[in-house]
Amino acid sequence: MRIGAPGAEKPIARLDDDTYVDLADVVDDFDEAFFGSGGLDRIRPVVAERAAAGQVSRFAGERIGAPIARPHQILCIGLNYRDHAAETGQAVPAEPILFTKSPNTLIGPDDDVRIPRGSTKPDWEVELGVVIGRRTSYLDSPEEARDAIAGFCVVNDVSERAFQIERAGQWVKGKSAETFNPAGPWLVTPDEIDDVLDLDMWLDVNGVRRQTGNTKTMVFDPYVIVHYLSQFLVMEPGDLINTGTPPGVGMGFDPPVWLQPGDVMELGITGLGAQQQTVLAPR
């Protein structure tokens, strides 16, 4: 995890809901240098030793930042849940649909989300995020991709559907407004998850359940995705992949339901924690 004011977050290891181990004297940040130098393996004994010695701190209401520093790139996979493809009336893709989000969309899990100027159709998407652990290209198999993944986290792939669908060009325009990628609260390493393909997902807007899903309905699992992407581009340590959303997005309702200023989104994934964002009006 990373806690503290925006731009001044410090790296920690969460032990439970109440306590954590401070790692600010061990690593500068959870960034490319950290992941690319085997940082996760380096801090494991430090965390275990400090926890055993009682060298722990208690959470005191600090802001939670995204669990990783701003990555080189945020890569996204579209229509990656069979039931979500069905609700949009589109065919299940034969290959992963790839688009990007601007890396500066990344914010903390409980930070406010701001509707952009000119927006008419802002929407939500709970997603499983994948963080890359080493420089990765041309993997030989999905199985090899397992060693390239540092961990998983909750992501809200906030979208503006009019920008995304009704304006000419690429989806990136509907995905890259400021605050459009809340992530966290924490990064969970693969060894801490029994089965990444059996995680329940949910999202509420103003206390009303909108999305209910499970990663088992993914078309392409995280390992297939990482292997696939590695054939086309180089992924750097700390890069983030948003792997798609289950059904229940606003544009899937009849009539569609769009985010409004003052709305509160709450979302989460089993074992990966929960988020809450308040929606703000355009600047």
Side-chain angles (χ1 to χ4, degrees):
M1 292 181 69
R2 297 164 71 245
I3 59 174
E9 297 93 345
K10 70 175 181 178
I12 67 170
R14 174 185 177 273
L15 298 178
D16 52 41
D17 288 343
D18 300 316
T19 59
Y20 65 89
V21 170
D22 194 327
L23 295 172
D25 62 328
V26 181
V27 296
D28 292 330
D29 208 345
F30 296 143
D31 54 11
E32 177 188 4
F34 171 80
F35 291 110
S37 63
L40 286 173
D41 289 334
R42 189 168 67 252
I43 65 171
R44 282 192 176 97
V46 176
V47 173
E49 179 181 332
R50 292 182 177 182
Q55 295 176 318
V56 302
S57 302
R58 300 188 70 83
F59 290 107
E62 302 93 341
R63 171 188 172 270
I64 300 174
I68 58 173
R70 182 186 297 183
H72 284 276
Q73 55 189 345
I74 299 177
L75 303 166
C76 307
I77 306 300
L79 297 178
N80 194 36
Y81 283 71
R82 296 177 184 86
D83 36 12
H84 173 53
E87 78 169 340
T88 65
Q90 301 182 68
V92 172
E95 294 188 38
I97 295 173
L98 173 64
F99 61 95
T100 64
K101 298 187 82 156
S102 175
N104 64 8
T105 59
L106 188 70
I107 61 172
D110 302 324
D111 291 345
D112 295 332
V113 165
R114 185 175 295 278
I115 295 173
R117 294 181 186 178
S119 171
T120 58
K121 298 178 179 180
D123 204 349
W124 57 82
E125 295 188 15
V126 59
E127 303 201 4
L128 174 71
V130 175
V131 174
I132 297 298
R134 60 176 172 84
R135 200 166 195 266
T136 301
S137 63
Y138 296 121
L139 295 174
D140 290 330
S141 67
E143 186 62 30
E144 188 179 352
R146 293 176 182 269
D147 293 332
I149 295 175
F152 304 94
C153 63
V154 182
V155 169
N156 188 355
D157 179 21
V158 185
S159 308
E160 211 299 328
R161 303 302 187 186
F163 294 176
Q164 176 188 355
I165 299 170
E166 299 170 16
R167 305 290 293 271
Q170 300 295 316
W171 286 8
V172 64
K173 292 190 298 187
K175 298 286 186 172
S176 291
E178 61 174 339
T179 73
F180 263 28
N181 209 92
W186 49 75
L187 179 71
V188 179
T189 52
D191 59 293
E192 297 179 290
I193 300 175
D194 291 335
D195 185 0
V196 75
L197 290 179
D198 189 17
L199 300 178
D200 290 328
M201 314 167 68
W202 57 274
L203 183 145
D204 296 347
V205 179
N206 300 328
V208 177
R209 182 58 47 92
R210 294 300 189 182
Q211 288 189 272
T212 302
N214 188 287
T215 54
K216 65 186 176 185
T217 68
M218 276 186 169
V219 180
F220 307 104
D221 70 40
Y223 313 113
V224 169
I225 290 170
V226 172
H227 169 254
Y228 179 86
L229 294 179
S230 78
Q231 309 308 306
F232 303 98
L233 51 87
V234 177
M235 289 170 281
E236 301 289 355
D239 280 355
L240 175 63
I241 305 171
N242 297 345
T243 59
T245 197
V249 297
M251 72 174 179
F253 289 90
D254 185 15
V257 179
W258 308 119
L259 291 169
Q260 304 294 327
D263 284 350
V264 176
M265 295 180 283
E266 298 174 273
L267 57 146
I269 300 177
T270 301
L272 304 187
Q275 305 182 355
Q276 178 176 303
Q277 299 105 34
T278 298
V279 180
L280 303 182
R283 292 186 187 276

